[in-house]
Amino acid sequence: MIKEKAKKKWDLTRKMLDITDDEYNGVTQEDANLRFVKMKLQIAVYYMQLLDEHDSEYQVPWNKEQFKWALRKPVGDKKKQRAKEWCHQCRLIRDKACTSWSYEEATA
């Protein structure tokens, strides 16, 4: 999949994961937890996008309902742990797949 197509595929998900000013400036534990979850999922989506750009086969470690659940308040330790696990799983998938990716050398 070309870079633009891969980016477009994940656009809606990235928009859902944007940290609002209120969340960013929030001082409560709830705000901190939500920021943590969104940041971990942003990283996971980045890994998924890389996999798409290289036409790698993979299975997303969450489904639509689980994803929505993770972003719903209240956000506690269980959701933080799940987001952390998903991010780690996505990194492992990317690491495993990237060994077969071919990179074009830049010629100057």
Side-chain angles (χ1 to χ4, degrees):
M1 185 179 291
I2 60 174
K3 197 171 196 170
E4 293 79 28
K5 278 181 145 180
K7 187 176 180 184
K8 188 174 181 179
K9 176 182 174 182
W10 291 100
D11 271 348
L12 180 61
T13 306
R14 277 196 311 280
K15 285 179 186 176
M16 289 175 63
L17 296 175
D18 281 344
I19 298 172
T20 65
D21 288 341
D22 288 340
E23 293 166 350
Y24 186 78
N25 295 323
V27 294
T28 66
Q29 186 62 46
E30 178 76 15
D31 294 327
N33 289 347
L34 187 58
R35 279 192 307 268
F36 179 85
V37 166
K38 284 188 171 187
M39 284 189 288
K40 285 296 182 182
L41 292 176
Q42 286 172 354
I43 295 166
V45 166
Y46 171 74
Y47 293 146
M48 298 289 100
Q49 185 176 327
L50 284 175
L51 288 162
D52 284 340
E53 288 174 12
H54 292 275
D55 288 327
S56 299
E57 294 288 324
Y58 66 91
Q59 184 168 352
V60 179
W62 61 80
N63 64 35
K64 188 177 182 178
E65 292 307 314
Q66 290 172 320
F67 190 80
K68 287 180 183 177
W69 166 81
L71 297 175
R72 246 179 297 186
K73 290 184 177 185
V75 180
D77 290 338
K78 186 175 182 180
K79 291 180 181 180
K80 284 174 52 180
Q81 183 62 33
R82 183 60 57 102
K84 187 176 169 183
E85 290 169 5
W86 287 339
C87 183
H88 183 68
Q89 289 171 355
C90 291
R91 195 198 88 213
L92 292 176
I93 294 168
R94 192 264 338 242
D95 288 351
K96 185 176 180 182
C98 78
T99 59
S100 65
W101 295 347
S102 60
Y103 294 95
E104 295 178 18
E105 274 192 47
T107 55

